[in-house]
């Protein structure tokens, strides 16, 4: 099953619990609009290079499509379709008035200079500009894109329109309509849903052993957030280096080294291991924060955690889900556990529309409320329907909201 087939499979599991008819399920599965673009970028050495990009809008039943833009060598149409589908369910599960969208450009940003990256970002926005806007489809950061890139993209789109459209994209720098708390939002949302789950399951975060795979924005900030609550971060890994230290990683130092050198290689303490090896360590909370499919049939059996919190999109394959369920490992699914980012993106868009900006405390308080509410809704549906796991319950909560809107609009 590839990533897109997996997303469809998860939706079908949920619609079975809800007993939807075939036509409704079909309408829920199919992406509403998909665009493939080819565009050229002038490289620093004078060559012209062709790049391929995508923007997919899975649904807009609940509101404009919403979701990030990924720059990565592995980006392809199926991946963007899968990610846009997951965004519909992610937004619905938290109760945001959005559908799901996602974009991507097949490229390796690590091989581009800053000016090449800027030209590529602007060219991509020109190529997709017909189908996005603050009313139609609102992009944001995703893997290997960041606030600086969002600033360029907002500027390019605003230039095309002839006026400043801050609400066209979220995750922007604060100076151009960004929101307080957006950079840490994904990690913060993950912390809130983990807290909500741990309260129900009787697991204490203070003193809990935590393993984090993936050390980008979400993973590194999650490490400091959990450490601040007294958790013991025993293993971390980025794409090249794993670090294991049962005494606890010095998160502040690790984050400093990662920020300064772009890697964990020079972290001076603990034991260096292969990134994939850190999945096997016995822990209370395992946080996959890297990429889809990293926990699969080959390594799920080795996992020795009480609870796995998916901060990445789609890190656990269905086969691995089955293995973890047999081992009684609880999984908090991506569409819930990684929803903090898009939730604060929503707050950013609301602030842009009002032209009135909130304090960091206000953003955090609102985020906490929404994440707890979403967890409790999922928990309740899981109890009521007696369904197998939190993933199917989360997809069912989201599907109910999307299908209700589809019904009320006369689509099904
Ligand atoms: N890329 C993030 C995600 O997958 C954030 C999307 C957004 O803020 O719109 O949830």
């Amino acid at each position: 099953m590839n990533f897109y087939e997996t997303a469809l499979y998860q939706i079908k599991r949920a619609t079975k619990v809800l007993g939807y008819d075939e036509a409704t399920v079909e309408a829920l599965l199919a992406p509403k609009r998909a665009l493939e673009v080819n565009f050229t970028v002038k490289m620093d050495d004078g060559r012209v290079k062709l790049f391929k990009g995508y923007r997919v809008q899975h649904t807009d039943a609940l509101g404009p499509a919403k979701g990030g833009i990924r720059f990565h060598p592995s980006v392809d149409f199926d991946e963007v379709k899968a990610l846009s589908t997951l965004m519909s369910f992610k937004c619905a599960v938290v109760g945001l008035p959005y559908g799901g969208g996602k974009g991507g450009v097949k490229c390796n940003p690590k091989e581009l200079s800053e000016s090449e990256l800027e030209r590529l970002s602007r060219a991509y926005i020109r190529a997709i500009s017909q189908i996005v806007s603050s009313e139609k489809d609102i992009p944001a950061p995703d893997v290997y894109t960041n606030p600086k890139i969002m600033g360029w993209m907002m500027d390019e789109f605003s230039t095309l329109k002839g006026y400043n459209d801050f609400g066209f994209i979220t995750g922007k720098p604060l100076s151009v309509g960004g929101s307080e708390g957006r950079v840490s939002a994904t990690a913060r949302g993950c912390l809130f849903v983990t807290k909500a789950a741990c309260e129900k399951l009787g697991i204490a975060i203070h003193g809990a052993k935590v393993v984090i795979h993936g050390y980008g924005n979400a993973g590194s900030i999650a490490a400091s957030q959990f450490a601040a609550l007294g958790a013991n971060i025993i293993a971390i890994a980025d794409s090249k280096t794993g670090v294991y230290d049962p005494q606890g990683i010095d998160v502040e130092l690790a984050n400093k080294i990662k920020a300064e050198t772009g890697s964990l290689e020079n972290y001076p303490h603990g034991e260096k291991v292969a990134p994939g090896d850190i999945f096997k360590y016995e822990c209370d909370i395992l946080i996959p924060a890297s990429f889809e499919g990293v926990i699969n049939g080959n390594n799920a059996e080795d996992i020795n955690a009480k609870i796995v919190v998916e901060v990445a999109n789609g890190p656990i394959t269905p086969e691995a889900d089955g293995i973890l369920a047999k081992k009684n490992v609880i999984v908090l699914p991506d569409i819930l556990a990684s929803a903090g980012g898009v939730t604060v993106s929503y707050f950013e868009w609301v602030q842009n529309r009002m032209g009135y900006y909130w304090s960091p405390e206000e953003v955090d308080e609102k985020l906490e409320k929404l994440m707890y509410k979403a967890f409790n809704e999922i928990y309740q549906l899981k109890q009521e329907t007696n369904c197998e796991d939190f993933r199917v319950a989360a997809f069912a909560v989201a599907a109910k909201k999307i299908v209700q809107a589809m019904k009320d609009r006369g689509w099904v």
Side-chain angles (χ1 to χ4, degrees):
M1 230 188 269
N2 71 21
F3 188 31
Y4 183 51
E5 287 159 353
T6 302
L8 301 184
Y9 164 80
Q10 301 301 358
I11 299 170
K12 285 184 200 152
R13 274 175 81 213
T15 52
K16 212 178 260 171
V17 172
L18 300 167
Y20 288 149
D21 60 84
E22 214 180 302
T24 305
V25 177
E26 260 182 11
L28 196 58
L29 294 175
K32 181 163 179 173
R33 187 174 293 116
L35 179 67
E36 180 182 312
V37 292
N38 293 293
F39 57 91
T40 55
V41 177
K42 282 221 173 77
M43 309 306 278
D44 291 345
D45 63 7
R47 278 179 312 137
V48 168
K49 210 172 156 186
L50 187 73
F51 289 90
K52 195 178 269 304
Y54 307 90
R55 185 74 195 175
V56 178
Q57 297 160 355
H58 170 259
T59 175
D60 58 2
L62 284 163
K66 180 88 191 82
I69 295 167
R70 178 174 290 202
F71 286 175
H72 197 275
S74 76
V75 162
D76 63 22
F77 194 30
D78 259 12
E79 185 187 56
V80 180
K81 273 200 296 186
L83 291 164
S84 78
T85 308
L86 289 178
M87 283 312 298
S88 293
F89 286 77
K90 195 185 286 196
C91 292
V93 100
V94 213
L96 309 180
Y98 286 144
K102 202 81 168 198
V105 177
K106 191 175 179 60
C107 66
N108 188 353
K110 289 186 177 171
E111 287 171 358
L112 298 173
S113 70
E114 175 147 320
S115 56
E116 288 169 343
L117 192 61
E118 177 172 352
R119 287 196 291 277
L120 180 137
S121 304
R122 290 180 181 275
Y124 171 67
I125 288 304
R126 287 194 297 276
I128 65 162
S129 65
Q130 294 300 318
I131 67 160
V132 290
S133 83
S134 49
E135 305 290 343
K136 289 191 218 169
D137 178 3
I138 305 129
D142 196 73
V143 172
Y144 291 158
T145 54
N146 55 31
K148 185 186 254 179
I149 294 176
M150 298 304 111
W152 294 330
M153 289 180 166
M154 185 281 293
D155 182 70
E156 189 64 28
F157 191 75
S158 295
T159 304
L160 284 174
K161 296 288 149 187
Y163 57 89
N164 273 334
D165 189 0
F166 285 173
F168 142 74
I169 201 163
T170 58
K172 301 179 292 293
L174 281 178
S175 60
V176 283
S179 174
E180 293 287 356
R182 177 61 186 83
V183 172
S184 56
T186 309
R188 203 81 191 126
C190 154
L191 182 78
F192 290 140
V193 291
T194 310
K195 268 175 79 180
C198 285
E199 281 162 21
K200 283 269 195 295
L201 302 166
I203 301 171
I205 292 191
H206 190 92
K209 286 193 255 174
V210 177
V211 170
I212 302 178
H213 184 269
Y215 220 66
N217 172 272
S220 60
I221 301 178
S224 21
Q225 307 261 331
F226 278 85
L229 288 189
N232 184 17
I233 317 296
I234 58 161
I236 54 176
D238 63 13
S239 60
K240 288 192 205 86
T241 314
V243 184
Y244 173 59
D245 188 347
Q247 302 310 314
I249 309 269
D250 179 343
V251 172
E252 238 173 75
L253 180 64
N255 288 7
K256 190 167 171 271
I257 290 170
K258 177 77 187 171
E260 281 169 5
T261 65
S263 140
L264 290 170
E265 244 169 330
N266 295 317
Y267 180 78
H269 312 299
E271 189 189 330
K272 296 275 149 53
V273 296
D277 281 358
I278 72 165
F279 286 120
K280 64 174 187 236
Y281 298 122
E282 191 253 313
C283 62
D284 298 290
I285 303 168
L286 168 63
I287 305 181
S290 52
F291 225 67
E292 52 257 25
V294 290
I295 300 178
N296 49 52
N298 299 324
N299 60 4
E301 204 60 69
D302 304 333
I303 282 172
N304 201 347
K306 287 193 184 125
I307 167 164
V308 183
V309 189
E310 293 186 315
V311 184
N313 288 305
I316 305 181
T317 64
E319 187 187 1
D321 251 343
I323 298 170
L324 294 177
K326 275 203 200 106
K327 292 166 64 102
N328 289 324
V329 178
I330 289 167
V331 174
L332 295 182
D334 50 3
I335 60 166
L336 170 69
S338 74
V342 72
T343 302
V344 176
S345 272
Y346 164 58
F347 297 160
E348 181 174 331
W349 178 77
V350 169
Q351 293 170 79
N352 291 153
R353 290 162 82 89
M354 293 188 298
Y356 177 67
Y357 291 84
W358 306 341
S359 67
E361 294 74 24
E362 210 170 337
V363 169
D364 202 49
E365 199 184 299
K366 287 186 164 74
L367 175 64
E368 180 168 18
K369 239 185 232 161
L370 282 192
M371 297 310 289
Y372 264 80
K373 185 165 171 268
F375 175 81
N376 287 332
E377 253 180 84
I378 293 166
Y379 188 83
Q380 200 182 334
L381 186 136
K382 186 171 179 292
Q383 304 290 94
E384 280 168 12
T385 59
N386 210 9
C387 59
E388 297 139 71
D389 51 44
F390 282 106
R391 191 186 308 282
V392 69
F395 271 89
V397 164
K400 268 170 102 172
K401 293 180 191 172
I402 301 169
V403 167
Q404 187 61 49
M406 284 164 53
K407 281 193 177 135
D408 291 339
R409 300 177 75 131
W411 291 0
V412 292

